[in-house]
Amino acid sequence: GKIDDVSTAIADSNYRSLLLGIVSIYDLAEQMLRTLSASDQGEGHRCLATVTLQLRQILESNGLVRIVTEGQFDPKRHRAIESFACETPEKNDTIKEEVRPGFLDGSKVLRFAEVTVWKYTGTPGETVNPASPSEILPETAKEHEGQR
């Protein structure tokens, strides 16, 4: 009945929160690994690479799949955080770079991939206005406020 539905909703919410917490730690480990890769290939690098791999395996074993961030921008899976002018209309609305990975939980987006996007403006090299707040999910909008 209703109690079972509420219990299921709470369990789903707790599970989602746990996965998002693991995703955040995975982000941090990947960022640290990139920083170390540039300066140190020693024991610390190997340990961090192992931790990063194990975190990725935990996410994958729980059904999470990293969102592809190449090719065409998809507002159902990506959030544009910045746009850059491009010279050719063919590059318009294609992904320039991944800023933060996103993940799918089955067919549902657990966290949108944050990307930069090419926009054809006819004026190469200029930065186009960043994504409007409506293109950023409420849970990521709060994170952006703290970063700006």
Side-chain angles (χ1 to χ4, degrees):
K2 289 184 180 183
I3 292 176
D4 289 337
D5 292 345
V6 170
S7 294
T8 300
I10 291 171
D12 288 348
S13 176
N14 289 342
Y15 178 70
R16 179 182 167 84
S17 293
L18 177 63
L19 289 178
L20 285 169
I22 295 169
V23 165
S24 294
I25 295 167
Y26 176 75
D27 288 342
L28 181 60
E30 270 198 331
Q31 182 181 12
M32 292 169 63
L33 191 58
R34 283 191 301 272
T35 302
L36 277 178
S37 292
S39 63
D40 176 28
Q41 295 292 320
E43 186 65 25
H45 181 272
R46 283 189 294 279
C47 289
L48 191 54
T50 300
V51 169
T52 304
L53 175 64
Q54 289 177 340
L55 286 167
R56 191 181 81 229
Q57 289 172 341
I58 289 169
L59 294 171
E60 290 172 354
S61 69
N62 280 279
L64 266 61
V65 177
R66 193 166 174 156
I67 294 173
V68 175
T69 55
E70 296 174 0
Q72 194 67 32
F73 175 79
D74 178 358
K76 294 177 183 167
R77 295 182 174 204
H78 306 124
R79 289 293 170 250
I81 61 168
E82 192 171 7
S83 300
F84 292 89
C86 62
E87 296 180 21
T88 61
E90 295 80 27
K91 282 178 84 174
N92 188 53
D93 285 331
T94 59
I95 295 172
K96 178 180 186 279
E97 182 179 27
E98 178 184 273
V99 176
R100 190 167 87 156
F103 292 89
L104 295 172
D105 183 5
S107 62
K108 293 181 181 180
V109 174
L110 178 71
R111 185 178 76 188
F112 284 79
E114 295 177 5
V115 297
T116 59
V117 179
W118 290 112
K119 289 288 182 185
Y120 179 68
T121 62
T123 311
E126 75 180 42
T127 300
V128 183
N129 289 333
S132 68
S134 65
E135 293 179 316
I136 299 175
L137 279 183
E139 64 260 21
T140 59
K142 290 177 188 169
E143 294 171 15
H144 285 289
E145 289 170 7
Q147 293 175 358
R148 291 187 184 175

